[in-house]
Amino acid sequence: MTSSTLQKFRQQFDQQLPFVLYRKPSAKEVIGLLQRDQTLHTVMNFAEKGFVFAPFNGDEIVTYSSRSMRC
């Protein structure tokens, strides 16, 4: 990951905007997604593409859809 890429995620963090960084097992590539705003998107049927964040209590499922994210 380049320093300019890390800087983008640092800016996202500083602006308190949602983001995700992850690496698949045994992969060398790190994947990152940045959400453009603080909108909380919910999903009920998983028909949309995106990265899903699910709370441990199971009361609500939250996703940040691909429409609101940039790579």
Side-chain angles (χ1 to χ4, degrees):
M1 191 175 293
T2 66
S3 62
S4 64
T5 302
L6 289 174
Q7 181 62 30
K8 288 179 186 179
F9 285 96
R10 180 63 184 181
Q11 289 172 348
Q12 192 82 355
F13 179 82
D14 291 343
Q15 294 173 10
Q16 298 182 342
L17 292 170
F19 67 92
V20 62
L21 286 169
Y22 67 95
R23 181 183 59 85
K24 294 180 182 178
S26 302
K28 293 182 180 180
E29 179 183 44
V30 174
I31 299 169
L33 300 170
L34 305 169
Q35 185 169 309
R36 291 187 171 109
D37 56 34
Q38 292 185 356
T39 303
L40 186 64
H41 302 276
T42 59
V43 63
M44 296 298 178
N45 63 10
F46 297 99
E48 294 184 58
K49 291 183 179 181
F51 197 90
V52 176
F53 294 88
F56 291 104
N57 64 11
D59 290 342
E60 184 179 6
I61 297 176
V62 178
T63 183
Y64 299 104
S65 72
S66 59
R67 291 186 315 242
S68 65
M69 302 191 89
R70 62 181 195 251
C71 296

